[in-house]
Structures are given as C-alpha cells and as structure tokens.
Amino acid sequence: MRVGLSFLIRLAVLLALATFLARPEWFASLLRPLTENGAPPVYVQASLLSLTISHLLMVFAATIASTLVAVGLAILVTRESGREFLPLSRSLVNIGQTFPPVAVLALAVPMLGFGTWPTLIALFLYGLLPIFENTLTGLTTLPGPVMEAARGTGMTGWQRLIKVELPLAFPLILGGIRLSIVISLATATIGSTVAARTLGEVIIAGLQSNNLAFILQGGVVVAALAVLIYDTLVFAERLAAQRTGLNRTA
Amino acid sequence: MRFGLNRIDRVGVVVALIAAYGLVAPFALFRANRIVQGEGRSLFSALPPSLGAILLVLSAIAIVMALLRLPLFLKLLASLVMLAVLAFAIGNAAGFLTPEGNNYARVSPGSGFWLLSAAFALLATDCLARLRPPPWMRIAILTAIIAAIAFVLASGLWDGLSILKEYSSRADTFWLEAGRHVTLALGSLAVAAVVGIPLGILCHRVEPARSAILNLLNIVQTIPSIALFGILIGPLSWVAANVPGAADLGIRGIGMAPAFLALFLYSLLPMVANTVGGLAGVPAEANDAARGVGMTDRQRLTQVELPLAFPVILTGIRIVLVQNIGLATIAALIGGGGFGVFVFQGLGQTAMDLVLLGAVPTVTMAFAAAVILDAIVELVAPANAGSGTGRKEATA
Amino acid sequence: MIEIDAISKAYGDVTVVDNVSMTIDAGSITVIVGTSGSGKTTLLRMINRLVEPTRGTIRIDGEDNGAIAPHELRRRIGYAIQGHGLFPHRTVAENIATVPKLLGWPQDRIDARVEELLKLFQLDPVAFGPRFPHELSGGQSQRVGVARALAAEPNLLLMDEPFGALDPVIRAKAQDDLLAIQKHFGTTIILVTHDMEEAFGLADRIAVMDGGRLLQYATPTEMLANPATDFVASLIGTAERPFRLLALNPVEKAMEPGVAEGEPISGEASQRDALAELLWSGRPALPVTGKDGIVAGRVTVDSLLKQARPA
C-alpha cells in the first residue's frame, strides 16, 4: 500500500513537472507573489522546455561518456596486466573527489573557452569518479567462492569478466551512474555561469534581477528531475540486485 | 628481452610519456597584458640556457628512474626534487620573460610546466599509494609541502607570475575573502554537527522519524546549490525586515546569511546519515553486552554506541568539510563572499589568472582538509579501518 | 587413473606441497586429510591447474595435465567447493548448465542433463530449476554445487571441503548421497577434508598430509592397523580406533548362525551400528537379515568385539 502511495506521489510530481514545462504560463499567478515591482513571474527569454531538454542532453551525454571510460578503466586496473595501476588510480579517485565542481568548471574554461564544452568536460570528469569507484568496488569485492567456481568450471578470463564479474558488479555500477547523474544535474546549473544552455540560466537570471520566482522555478525543476531520475535508478538497482541475489547497492 | 621488459614499471611508462610531451610543449605563456591570448614559450626560450639545460637533464634522469623498478622511496625523492626544481624554474621564467619595468606583461605557467608537474606529481602519488605511509606520516608530508609552498611564496620567487600579480593588486580582499570562505565552510560545519548528531541519534532511536527526516534531507540535497542559495534570500529578507533585532545580528536577504544557511542545510544530510549509519553499525553483541551489564539507555549511548560510531560520524564530518569548502565558492553569486568572488569575477572578465586565484586556494584547502581528516579517521579507528559506511556524495 | 609424480609447489621460500607422489585408481574415492596449512587444498588445485606446480607432473589417464590449456582441462574435471560458489545471478538450471554451455552442447542435451541431475539430487526440476541460489537452503545449494560439477559428465570430480558448511544431519545425508552418485556414475572422486570421520566414512584410500608432505597413503583398514607416524595416529585418535574399524565393515562379516530375540538389523549396516544397538538395548545378540530381508543369522557382542581389533 505504501509502495503504491509513494508511486502516486512520484507520478504526480512527474505530471506537475511536465505541465509546468509545457505550459509555464498556467502557473504565473502562483509565482507572482514572489516577484517585486511587476517583474515577470515566468522566465520567457528562452523556453523552459528547451532549456530542460538541453540540460538533460548535456547530463546524459556526459554520463554516457563517463560510464564508458570509468567502467573501462576499472576493468583495466583489475586485470592482471593493469594491476600496477590500481593503487595510483585509487588515490587519483580520492584526490579527484576533493575537487569542487565549481573549480573543475572554472579550470576547464581556460582550455576550452566558454559555452557547452567546458561544462560537458567538467560533467564528464566529475562523473567519472563515482562510477569508477563503484565499479572498482564491485569488481574487487566479488565473493571468493564464486570467483573460484568460475575459474574451476573452466571459464577463460574474458568469459569470467562478461559472464560473472560484470553481471555481479552491475548493481554497484548502476549505483555509481545514479550518483554521477544526480551530481551532474546540479553541476550543470553552474554551467550557465560559463554560458552553457542549462536551467541554471533561469536561476542566474533570477539572482541578477533579484527575482525569486525565477530562482525557485529553475531550482525546483532541477530538483524534481533529480528526485525522479534518482528514484527510477534506485528502483532499477533493486531489481538488478535482487537478480544477483547479493544485495550489494551503493 | 623478457627480463628487460619485466624491469620496466608500467606506471612509469605513463609518467614518462606525459613528462616527455611536457618537455616539448610550451613551458611558459607570455601575454602583453592580462586579458589577451598568450603565446607559448618553449623550455629554452622561457629560461636562461643554463637553467633550461639543467631542467632538461634532471627531467631525463627522473624519467629514467620512473621507468625502472627502483625502491619506491628513491622514486618519491626524485619526484619531489623535480617538483621543487619546476617550482624554482617557473619563478625564474617569469623574471626572464618579463621586460624590465613592464607592469602590464603577464607570464603564467604553460602546458609544458603543467604536464611536467602533473607527471611528477603522478609519480609521487603512485609512490605514496604503494608505500602506504601511516596517518601521522601523511599529515607530516602534507605539512612539509605546505610549508615549502609558503616558503616559496614568502621568498618572492613566484612574484613575477601572473596569478601572484593578480594577488598583489588584491592582497587585502584576498585575505578578507579567505576569512569569509573559512568562516562559511567551518561555521556551517560546526552548526551542522551540533544539530545533525543529536538529530541522527533521534533518527536512530525513533524509527518513524528516520525515513521522514532522511527523505527530507535527501530532497534538500537535490536542489542545485545556486538555486538553494537564491531561494533562501526570500525568507531571510523577510526575517530581517520583520523580526526585531535580526538585522542587527547581520541577518540579511543577501550576503553571508543565506550562504551560511544553505551550506548548513547541505551539511545536515551527511551528518545525520553518517550518525545513523554509525549507530546502526554498532555490533548487536556490544549492545546486548551493554544491556546485560545493566547500563541505562543513556549510559549505553555515551559509553558504547557513540564511541563505536565515532569513526563513521567523523567520516561524515570529513565529507561535509570537503563539500563545504567547494560549495562556499557559490556564495559569491549572492554576495556572500569567499574565494568564489575571484572565480566569478575572473569568469566575467575572462581573466583566467583571477579564476585561478580563487580556484587554486579552494582546491588546496579541500585537498588538505581531506588528507588531514582521512588521517584522523584512520587514527581513531585503527581496529576497524575502512569500515566507514561514509556516503561520499557531493552536491554542486 | 591419476598419477601424481613428485609434485611440489613453493611460494617464494615457503614450500606448501613437498615432493608428493601418489597414484589414484579410476572409479575410486580418495580422501586427502590434514590440518589447515598442510597443503591438501593446494595439492587438489594443482590437479585442475588452479595452482601451477613448481616441479613435478600430474598425468590424467596417461595425459600430462600441463599440456592441456587450463580452461579446457577444467571443463573436463568436475570441481565442487565449500560454500558451493554458485553464481548468484544465475538460476539453478543455468548454474548446472555452466560447463555444458561452455563446451557448446546443443540446448536439448543440456536441458535433459540438467533435469537428470536435479532428479538424481532429489530436487524437483520444475520447482528448483528456475530458482536463484539465494532462494535455496544450505543443503540444497550444496547439492546444486555438486550437480554443476558433474554436469559435463566428467570422469574426475575434485571436491574441496564440499560439506564443510553443512550442519551434521544434512552433512551425513549429503555424504550418503555422494556415495550413491559415485556408484551410479563410476566417477573418480578426490575429496579434501579436515574431518577424519568424513574420511573414514567415504574413502577407498586416505592420504594424510602434514607440512606439505604426504605422510601416509593407504586404505582405511591399513591405516588403522599401521599408522605410519605418530601424527597419523593422533589424527585418527587412539580412543576412536576400534569404533572406526567397526564402522568400516558390514554386520554380515561378523554374522554367525543362530537365533536372537527382537528387532533385526540389516546385514549391510555397519558393525558399529550393530554394537551400539546391542549396548543400548542390553541384549546379548541381534537377528541379522540378508539382502532379501529374511533373517539369515545373528550377531553377538562377543563376535563384534573380536572384529574391533586389527587382524
């Protein structure tokens, strides 16, 4: 019954979000009390829907790239031939995690100029870390007897990776992707300070013109997207974890 | 042949490739003034010939050392010596390239310098990761490095570099913003600890409160930082205007108050979640034993549960501190100050040296905080090192 | 036939298996016993090359196992371990089908084999085939583990403490099942354990290892009569010797003509069970039934006591 209720709440959030993005003017009267001196309650310089799509596209493109590279690297450093890189890659991940997203973004600008690219690169780099870390955890904490059995049944190294290691690490990898997406959704808003087309544009416009309605609508749309994507991925992880029977989630 | 290949260190190959490319890439950038495009200067045109030759030879020796399977401390020493030599060389390049009496020209490190530094920093990191120095040793190494950097800064060796020219024209503001940055990061952490730990204990003891509080805090984390900072302007202006005395306390719609409050709200989740996680991780036998010897709930909490959960709670503090140092940069967008002021001013003026003046201290502080707190976490939890169920989630 | 010829394994300066030679007959059950660190598991794992020997050779039916690619060698040899090592993300049927799939058997042959094995291990194929390992009890998981090891019809089955994680009642049942299945397929079994009771219960021949060396390799009866070293004797347990000897032989070997009162005992039961029954019920003799279930004679306390000493 509780599952049903929380599902209904999420459905309602999704519907409200879709309505707001398609027809923001319907909400104008709701937002008007937050404005001063007759400022516009709804952001109209660009369509909210197109900003949202551009925001999501950036996050997904960066996450796909991060996933490919991070999972690839994690596989590499857990093979016999790449094991020498394991201590180093662990430390680099730890160091990387201390880099504030704003700093990553700011430091990408001198190399890439303003616009979409520095944001994409910052999202990509910042997204690598949770996925790499989770994949590494997944691949290095496989149950000993299972790995022993995989060798004992005569699987080659490649077959062990494809048929046993990756499937068992999958829920954890998914957990890393989830963390990565949620961080990227928020970091992308800061991308607007370097002129990327994201929902951050609305928030920054609000900050500059002291318009609380703008700040609120930008922030709430991003938060709602994050919550919905987060919950969907948690659900997917549970399904995947149930299938592996190991109960390993991030 | 096989014997020869086995003596090659694979990480060393990566270090060598980066360093070798670093040697041919522009060592320094020269610009006629602070906002025009820079032109690259190679190792020998950026440095006096003798110094360029010394750097080249030392680099070659260090690259060969990186490639061979030598004792790790020897490689560590080599990489640290190289980093010191690079620090010296880049300071020299500034003096060498800047025409006498020209105050507009800017010299900054080029990609060659950065690649060489990255290569040898990578080598040092690899050696440290493989040597696994004990916690106090890590703090000692960090302290030594920071002291060395402070010494170089004080000696004036780097004064000719563009980032320090930006600093010298803003020295007063720099320290003011540094103070604000630290106040925001540490102050909000302190308040979050005072509120979050008891809240975590409450969540642990009262089942129904747990999911409600944790869900709420999870949602707070999903709000993008620039929005949360902004959203709080509204309620705080209202408080400043309507609550007597609030304005006198410094509570205003913009400035440090909303920034402080936003950082506090972000800090709550890791604090509460780690307190709950730490308490939940207390072995059932320990709790049973505590009940068995006749401890009251309060005694059990203070004498058994909290001491056992402490390393995990400390991990929460580590997460919050590193996260807050990074997030405090956003405060600049709502007039809250901090190093973000330079980052966003620099982005606005396309003056990258100014961006670096804000970003470099932020990254350094976050890195130092992580090293120190990781070491402390390991020191207080020698028995169950690595059992921390820390949630390393960051928020932008 | 498995011929282990002067095999050694060293890790740096530490020799874990030291010049071991033994020949294992086809179709027999050999149990390797020893304390932990004795090298017994390493010896076993060198047979399917999960560990590569430092010196020496192992021949399986005359063929040097070092000449076969490791993964192909392992597909020919069954391998069951403690804690079963079932793949948690695959169903019971998929787990059992692992090696046949790797060998590229046609699907209908795989399906038939999986069903045959499940039935043999008293698991209903319809109910258990689609289940995941985490839905099984310990005993069921262990059975599936052995079924997986036998799936590709190997001539040789290696077992490393296969019953170590089971509680005593289920363990006894699993041991009986193993004997029945060995009889059914005629598989050669090499099993590692630290449990002497298990060794005497299963083995045609027992190999005792200590400190990497093979101390004695003999039939259980020989070992009871002439333990090679004090260590072997202490492993058997001096107080246990008469009972272990009784346990090795069936009642019919101590049967004499005559009649006795009360519930009869099967001639195939162990002499230890018969003695226990006599002691517990306070009777001087038990009637003994033959294979046909008809009373064929009796067994007395005296005749059993004579059996409890080495010949």
Side-chain angles (χ1 to χ4, degrees):
Chain A
M1 199 55 221
R2 278 191 59 124
V3 178
L5 182 66
S6 64
F7 176 74
L8 284 181
I9 291 173
R10 277 164 193 121
L11 195 67
V13 171
L14 180 66
L15 285 176
L17 180 65
T19 319
F20 179 70
L21 290 178
R23 291 273 177 274
E25 62 275 11
W26 291 359
F27 294 79
S29 53
L30 252 161
L31 290 165
R32 185 152 292 122
L34 296 170
T35 60
E36 288 166 8
N37 311 327
V42 172
Y43 190 73
V44 286
Q45 281 86 329
S47 119
L48 281 173
L49 187 62
S50 80
L51 282 178
T52 305
I53 290 169
S54 155
H55 191 114
L56 286 176
L57 277 180
M58 263 187 181
V59 169
F60 287 135
T63 306
I64 288 169
S66 312
T67 305
L68 291 177
V69 173
V71 173
L73 277 178
I75 290 173
L76 199 74
V77 300
T78 49
R79 299 307 102 185
E80 203 48 60
S81 54
R83 213 164 282 276
E84 266 185 271
F85 291 92
L86 187 57
L88 177 65
S89 56
R90 278 224 162 98
S91 320
L92 285 184
V93 165
N94 273 329
I95 294 172
Q97 242 153 4
T98 63
F99 268 66
V102 190
V104 174
L105 194 64
L107 294 176
V109 171
M111 283 169 269
L112 300 153
F114 286 86
T116 306
W117 281 105
T119 310
L120 265 179
I121 296 293
L123 294 185
F124 163 73
L125 288 177
Y126 214 73
L128 283 176
L129 304 174
I131 305 176
F132 179 79
E133 188 174 47
N134 271 32
T135 310
L136 205 57
T137 309
L139 290 177
T140 51
T141 57
L142 295 165
V146 173
M147 290 315 295
E148 172 83 359
R151 289 184 70 204
T153 52
M155 291 187 184
T156 61
W158 178 250
Q159 285 169 331
R160 285 203 298 275
L161 175 68
I162 296 298
K163 294 179 183 223
V164 181
E165 296 178 45
L166 282 180
L168 291 183
F170 184 64
L172 274 169
I173 299 176
L174 214 53
I177 295 176
R178 166 170 57 90
L179 289 181
S180 181
I181 288 187
V182 171
I183 293 170
S184 292
L185 277 169
T187 311
T189 55
I190 307 176
S192 292
T193 58
V194 295
R197 270 197 94 230
T198 72
L199 287 162
E201 197 179 307
V202 185
I203 301 168
I204 290 183
L207 286 174
Q208 280 164 352
S209 62
N210 207 1
N211 185 337
L212 194 55
F214 284 4
I215 300 173
L216 197 67
Q217 61 195 266
V220 167
V221 169
V222 176
L225 287 172
V227 169
L228 290 172
I229 293 173
Y230 184 97
D231 285 350
T232 310
L233 286 172
V234 166
F235 181 69
E237 269 164 68
R238 284 212 190 114
L239 278 187
Q242 258 169 26
R243 252 191 85 83
T244 65
L246 279 179
N247 193 25
R248 303 170 351 138
T249 49
Chain B
M1 194 58 219
R2 251 187 85 184
F3 183 66
L5 271 180
N6 279 339
R7 295 187 54 111
I8 298 277
D9 187 301
R10 292 174 202 221
V11 175
V13 174
V14 175
V15 170
L17 287 174
I18 299 176
Y21 185 64
L23 282 172
V24 295
F27 187 72
L29 286 178
F30 178 82
R31 282 169 300 165
N33 63 52
R34 68 192 278 257
I35 47 179
V36 296
Q37 282 280 334
E39 38 192 281
R41 295 286 161 89
S42 74
L43 195 59
F44 281 95
S45 56
L47 292 172
S50 55
L51 184 57
I54 290 173
L55 182 58
L56 189 66
V57 170
L58 285 179
S59 298
I61 294 173
I63 288 174
V64 172
M65 286 180 75
L67 283 170
L68 297 177
R69 289 187 193 278
L70 297 172
L72 288 171
F73 73 92
L74 218 65
K75 291 187 172 198
L76 181 61
L77 199 68
S79 57
L80 293 178
V81 167
M82 278 314 297
L83 289 172
V85 170
L86 284 165
F88 178 75
I90 196 67
N92 246 277
F96 184 71
L97 286 175
T98 312
E100 199 70 38
N102 181 339
N103 280 335
Y104 299 106
R106 289 286 189 271
V107 176
S108 51
S111 54
F113 170 84
W114 291 121
L115 287 170
L116 282 168
S117 304
F120 293 113
L122 209 62
L123 183 60
T125 308
D126 184 45
C127 293
L128 284 172
R130 292 200 218 181
L131 283 168
R132 298 161 165 269
W136 56 266
M137 178 82 103
R138 298 205 298 266
I139 295 182
I141 293 173
L142 179 76
T143 314
I145 291 174
I146 290 177
I149 294 174
F151 173 76
V152 170
L153 285 171
S155 71
L157 177 65
W158 284 346
D159 281 358
L161 289 175
S162 55
I163 178 170
L164 282 172
K165 289 198 169 163
E166 294 291 340
Y167 165 75
S168 63
S169 60
R170 296 182 171 72
D172 294 343
T173 359
F174 181 84
W175 291 108
L176 180 72
E177 299 303 355
R180 283 184 177 162
H181 202 103
V182 172
T183 311
L184 280 174
L186 286 180
S188 59
L189 165 67
V191 181
V194 169
V195 177
I197 295 175
L199 204 57
I201 295 170
L202 179 81
C203 285
H204 178 66
R205 290 280 163 102
V206 187
E207 188 88 33
R210 189 180 313 163
S211 59
I213 291 177
L214 285 177
N215 277 337
L216 185 68
L217 292 177
N218 254 318
I219 290 175
V220 169
Q221 292 267 317
T222 64
I223 303 173
S225 48
I226 52 173
L228 185 61
F229 281 72
I231 287 168
L232 293 170
I233 294 175
L236 281 174
S237 336
W238 187 86
V239 170
N242 294 290
V243 177
D248 299 333
L249 284 172
I251 296 175
R252 265 175 210 91
I254 58 164
M256 274 182 85
F260 194 95
L261 191 56
L263 288 179
F264 163 74
L265 288 175
Y266 279 131
S267 309
L268 270 182
L269 177 70
M271 280 317 312
V272 176
N274 274 50
T275 306
V276 171
L279 291 173
V282 172
E285 309 89 72
N287 262 320
D288 267 2
R291 280 205 193 88
V293 297
M295 287 189 189
T296 62
D297 270 6
R298 180 179 206 75
Q299 288 167 329
R300 195 157 55 84
L301 179 70
T302 54
Q303 296 178 28
V304 179
E305 291 186 299
L306 281 180
L308 284 173
F310 185 59
V312 184
I313 297 175
L314 207 57
T315 308
I317 291 180
R318 178 243 194 246
I319 294 166
V320 167
L321 184 57
V322 173
Q323 178 182 295
N324 277 3
I325 291 173
L327 277 177
T329 43
I330 307 281
L333 282 179
I334 55 165
F339 286 128
V341 169
F342 305 123
V343 174
F344 289 115
Q345 264 181 21
L347 283 173
Q349 303 173 5
T350 61
M352 284 311 141
D353 297 325
L354 194 51
V355 171
L356 286 175
L357 186 64
V360 171
T362 311
V363 171
T364 313
M365 268 170 57
F367 180 66
V371 171
I372 292 170
L373 277 167
D374 278 341
I376 296 176
V377 168
E378 212 177 306
L379 280 174
V380 300
N384 46 358
S387 70
T389 55
R391 297 162 55 93
K392 291 193 176 175
E393 288 184 41
T395 316
Chain C
M1 191 167 74
I2 322 294
E3 294 159 278
I4 297 174
D5 191 0
I7 202 104
S8 294
K9 176 67 191 180
Y11 292 100
D13 295 337
V14 188
T15 304
V16 288
V17 172
D18 190 0
N19 198 24
V20 170
S21 295
M22 57 196 280
T23 303
I24 292 156
D25 293 330
S28 70
I29 299 184
T30 299
V31 176
I32 308 174
V33 285
T35 49
S36 55
S38 62
K40 56 188 193 300
T41 295
T42 308
L43 178 63
L44 186 81
R45 286 157 57 93
M46 283 194 283
I47 298 173
N48 66 355
R49 289 181 63 192
L50 283 170
V51 172
E52 296 289 349
T54 313
R55 273 186 309 280
T57 49
I58 295 176
R59 285 181 298 278
I60 299 170
D61 296 328
E63 194 177 2
D64 185 348
N65 77 344
I68 310 167
H71 62 271
E72 280 170 22
L73 175 75
R74 290 177 204 142
R75 289 173 192 177
R76 288 192 216 167
I77 301 176
Y79 186 52
I81 54 178
Q82 178 170 13
H84 60 72
L86 294 179
F87 299 131
H89 59 303
R90 295 188 173 184
T91 63
V92 166
E94 287 165 347
N95 261 290
I96 296 176
T98 304
V99 185
K101 271 237 168 70
L102 289 171
L103 291 170
W105 285 16
Q107 191 59 45
D108 50 346
R109 184 175 169 205
I110 295 177
D111 293 342
R113 179 65 177 169
V114 169
E115 192 176 329
E116 179 193 358
L117 282 165
L118 279 173
K119 280 184 181 151
L120 198 64
F121 282 91
Q122 297 140 46
L123 296 168
D124 177 16
V126 180
F128 284 91
R131 285 199 197 170
F132 282 94
H134 65 97
E135 299 168 303
L136 303 177
S137 70
Q140 290 162 348
S141 304
Q142 191 274 336
R143 277 182 272 169
V144 175
V146 179
R148 180 176 67 183
L150 290 170
E153 300 172 359
N155 291 324
L156 173 59
L157 172 61
L158 307 180
M159 307 181 91
D160 187 1
E161 302 261 6
F163 311 124
L166 301 181
D167 62 55
V169 176
I170 298 174
R171 178 193 289 228
K173 166 96 167 70
Q175 289 164 346
D176 289 345
D177 288 350
L178 183 68
L179 285 173
I181 280 159
Q182 198 265 344
K183 212 170 256 176
H184 181 91
F185 289 123
T187 317
T188 311
I189 295 178
I190 305 174
L191 184 146
V192 159
T193 182
H194 62 264
D195 176 0
M196 221 41 190
E197 188 78 28
E198 184 164 280
F200 276 93
L202 295 172
D204 292 316
R205 289 173 81 93
I206 297 176
V208 178
M209 289 194 65
D210 185 47
R213 312 177 84 103
L214 179 62
L215 298 183
Q216 187 168 17
Y217 178 47
T219 64
T221 320
E222 270 171 51
M223 196 169 278
L224 282 170
N226 303 305
T229 66
D230 291 346
F231 179 77
V232 177
S234 74
L235 209 58
I236 297 168
T238 34
E240 294 288 328
R241 280 181 301 181
F243 307 106
R244 293 211 195 281
L245 195 56
L246 285 173
L248 289 172
N249 293 303
V251 175
E252 55 195 8
K253 276 180 123 183
M255 189 172 72
E256 54 184 46
V259 290
E261 293 294 308
E263 193 71 16
I265 188 166
S266 160
E268 290 171 357
S270 81
Q271 294 178 354
R272 180 158 75 174
D273 291 348
L275 182 63
E277 179 58 36
L278 284 168
L279 293 175
W280 196 249
S281 61
R283 287 181 283 172
L286 284 179
V288 178
T289 57
K291 283 199 172 65
D292 46 10
I294 298 165
V295 175
R298 65 171 190 174
V299 63
T300 63
V301 175
D302 280 347
S303 67
L304 285 176
L305 292 187
K306 278 191 202 111
Q307 298 282 330
R309 277 190 311 255

